[in-house]
Amino acid sequence: MEPGKIDPAWPNALRWFLSQGLTRFTPWHFLSDASDFAFASRAFQREDVSGGEVFVFAARQDRDDFAGLLIVDGRLTDRVVYFHPVFADSSQPSPRTWNIVCDAYEDVFEFVKARVIEDMKDCALDEDAADL
């Protein structure tokens, strides 16, 4: 992501990764533009049983798994929410009666350490680096 596109209001942990170009962690990918995962943010708002909001900054390429920064009182927090929406018809009420949140992390560093690195390791066991 170009430095000019990195919003200074985003938590430092996210800006740290983006400013260094650390955005590809197969199978996870971080945003390259602020609007990349707006569709997933809308799905979260519609489907999350708590009615919460997130700014989605990462997606897992082989599943409909996403990670977003929790928004509280209209402000981004450091807290990362890992979730799996169903992307049901938006004209209908959400089919979810259970929480779409799979896990939560203190910040982007904890998310990368606990989720992204483990998923990378699992992929590395199944896929040769030459195929990336």
Side-chain angles (χ1 to χ4, degrees), residues 4 9-10 12-13 16 34 66 72 80 86-87 102 104 115 130:
W10 295 345
N12 190 56
W16 185 266
F66 298 90
V72 176
V80 174
V86 294
F87 295 109
C102 304
R115 172 60 49 194

Side-chain angles (χ1 to χ4, degrees), residues 69-91:
L69 298 166
L70 191 62
I71 299 172
V72 176
D73 296 328
R75 295 184 58 212
L76 280 176
T77 68
D78 287 323
R79 190 148 179 86
V80 174
V81 177
Y82 164 50
F83 67 101
H84 184 92
V86 294
F87 295 109
D89 180 1
S90 62
S91 66

Side-chain angles (χ1 to χ4, degrees), residues 43-112:
F44 182 88
Q45 188 171 16
R46 192 172 92 51
E47 297 179 25
D48 180 51
V49 294
S50 74
E53 289 183 72
V54 293
F55 170 71
V56 178
F57 68 88
R60 185 169 165 150
Q61 71 186 29
D62 59 342
R63 301 181 190 165
D64 284 335
D65 289 352
F66 298 90
L69 298 166
L70 191 62
I71 299 172
V72 176
D73 296 328
R75 295 184 58 212
L76 280 176
T77 68
D78 287 323
R79 190 148 179 86
V80 174
V81 177
Y82 164 50
F83 67 101
H84 184 92
V86 294
F87 295 109
D89 180 1
S90 62
S91 66
Q92 301 293 319
S94 174
R96 289 282 179 121
T97 57
W98 64 93
N99 196 344
I100 65 170
V101 173
C102 304
D103 218 334
Y105 304 91
E106 179 181 320
D107 61 19
V108 175
F109 286 106
E110 286 300 314
F111 167 70
V112 169

Side-chain angles (χ1 to χ4, degrees), residues 13-31:
L14 177 59
R15 291 184 291 121
W16 185 266
F17 281 93
L18 297 176
S19 66
Q20 296 183 71
L22 300 172
T23 59
R24 301 271 181 219
F25 307 95
T26 302
W28 285 94
H29 299 284
F30 284 16
L31 56 83

